[in-house]
Amino acid sequence: MSWFGRWRRARILDKHAIPPDAFRAVVERLPILHGLTADELARLREAASLFIHDKAFSAAGGADVDDITQHLIALQACLLTLNLSEDSYRGWSEIILYPDEFLRQREEMDEAGVVHHSRDILAGESWHGGPLVLSIADVAASGLADGFNVVLHEFAHKLDMLNGDANGFPPLHRGMDAASWARDFSAAYEDLCARVDAGEDTAIDPYATTDPAEFFAVLTEVFFETPHVLLTESPAIYRQLQQFYRQHPLARLESHAHA
Ligand code: ZN
């Protein structure tokens, strides 16, 4: 980082850091953060403070965007990137918040020139190069170590989109093998699709079978929320995500449980 970058960063943290008490209260509320070391928590507080300063939070549908909502989003977004580049969320700036699930209406023209209308009820949405949209009710239900996390899900799409459209293939780090990533993800995806098609009640949300981008986002939720489930279901994916996020959530949560 340039001297100007360091100066700007220090100045923002000096003026706008999340107050220690407020930070501790949000960490307490989010079991997926339990077990982080003091050093990791200090880095998370800095990253989350910079994140809130850099992003614009806007309300839609009469949403009440309070500090706690911003903290819940920032801490979980920055958990994903705790050991990644600090500018991982570059190239876009707006987070739009609805009070609850929201309706998206779309019109798409197919190759035959027919326009299709669709209506979806969504808890969150990520636009390539554009805003990230979240339902506050679903934000409040995320981070409880029960497997569901709309915040991690939508921000995982943002990481995936760092090298183009979301396709389940984010930019890998030096030393990671693209061929083994593709092989492991394809095999796990095909396996889950086959089990869902066969009517099996799977431990992984069947929404993951929508396409490879959703598979990556849903498995990111499982990796951080219920890592034991992912390690049991798909050890190869656990190891790939461990290399990608440079974190080992299972060891963290277990060390905390035994502490
Ligand atoms: Zn998604």
Side-chain angles (χ1 to χ4, degrees), residues 175-199:
M176 286 184 74
D177 178 27
S180 87
W181 177 279
R183 190 181 58 239
D184 289 345
F185 271 86
S186 302
Y189 180 69
E190 297 297 333
D191 176 62
L192 185 67
C193 289
R195 287 157 58 198
V196 169
D197 285 346

Side-chain angles (χ1 to χ4, degrees), residues 124 153-154 157 207 213-214 217:
H153 182 107
E154 298 308 331
H157 282 319
Y207 184 70
E214 296 309 329

Side-chain angles (χ1 to χ4, degrees), residues 68-218:
I68 291 178
T69 300
Q70 295 187 34
H71 294 163
L72 286 169
I73 294 167
L75 265 64
Q76 295 180 88
C78 295
L79 172 69
L80 279 193
T81 54
L82 190 60
N83 296 327
L84 305 180
S85 162
E86 203 164 73
D87 68 352
S88 296
Y89 297 133
R90 64 187 174 268
W92 60 279
S93 60
E94 191 181 17
I95 297 166
I96 300 171
L97 296 166
Y98 282 87
D100 212 324
E101 290 183 321
F102 49 95
L103 189 64
R104 179 185 58 184
Q105 309 214 30
R106 264 203 309 203
E107 286 194 357
E108 269 171 325
M109 199 188 296
D110 67 16
E111 284 157 13
V114 180
V115 175
H116 299 269
H117 300 265
S118 65
R119 288 158 61 95
D120 297 310
I121 308 282
L122 301 175
E125 182 171 44
S126 284
W127 292 73
H128 189 207
L132 186 148
V133 191
L134 290 167
S135 134
I136 292 177
D138 291 280
V139 169
S142 297
L144 308 179
D146 63 2
F148 169 82
N149 197 312
V150 71
V151 181
L152 297 182
H153 182 107
E154 298 308 331
F155 282 89
H157 282 319
K158 282 294 186 188
L159 298 178
D160 191 356
M161 290 187 282
L162 280 170
N163 56 358
D165 288 335
N167 59 1
F169 217 122
L172 304 181
H173 312 305
R174 199 188 297 261
M176 286 184 74
D177 178 27
S180 87
W181 177 279
R183 190 181 58 239
D184 289 345
F185 271 86
S186 302
Y189 180 69
E190 297 297 333
D191 176 62
L192 185 67
C193 289
R195 287 157 58 198
V196 169
D197 285 346
E200 196 181 311
D201 187 12
T202 55
I204 310 276
D205 185 344
Y207 184 70
T209 64
T210 308
D211 57 41
E214 296 309 329
F215 190 71
F216 171 69
V218 170

Side-chain angles (χ1 to χ4, degrees), residues 3-101:
W3 74 264
F4 177 76
R6 282 196 301 275
W7 173 82
R8 180 181 173 273
R9 192 179 186 285
R11 194 161 174 276
I12 293 168
L13 288 174
D14 196 38
K15 286 191 165 178
H16 302 288
I18 300 171
D21 287 352
F23 179 76
R24 268 194 298 275
V26 177
V27 170
E28 197 57 42
R29 199 177 140 170
L30 294 171
I32 59 166
L33 301 180
H34 297 175
L36 288 173
T37 64
D39 166 68
E40 288 168 329
L41 287 170
R43 289 195 292 113
L44 183 64
R45 181 168 161 243
E46 287 196 353
S49 302
L50 294 166
F51 177 93
I52 290 171
H53 183 264
D54 287 344
K55 297 296 180 211
F57 290 82
S58 40
D64 176 20
V65 182
D66 58 11
D67 283 355
I68 291 178
T69 300
Q70 295 187 34
H71 294 163
L72 286 169
I73 294 167
L75 265 64
Q76 295 180 88
C78 295
L79 172 69
L80 279 193
T81 54
L82 190 60
N83 296 327
L84 305 180
S85 162
E86 203 164 73
D87 68 352
S88 296
Y89 297 133
R90 64 187 174 268
W92 60 279
S93 60
E94 191 181 17
I95 297 166
I96 300 171
L97 296 166
Y98 282 87
D100 212 324
E101 290 183 321

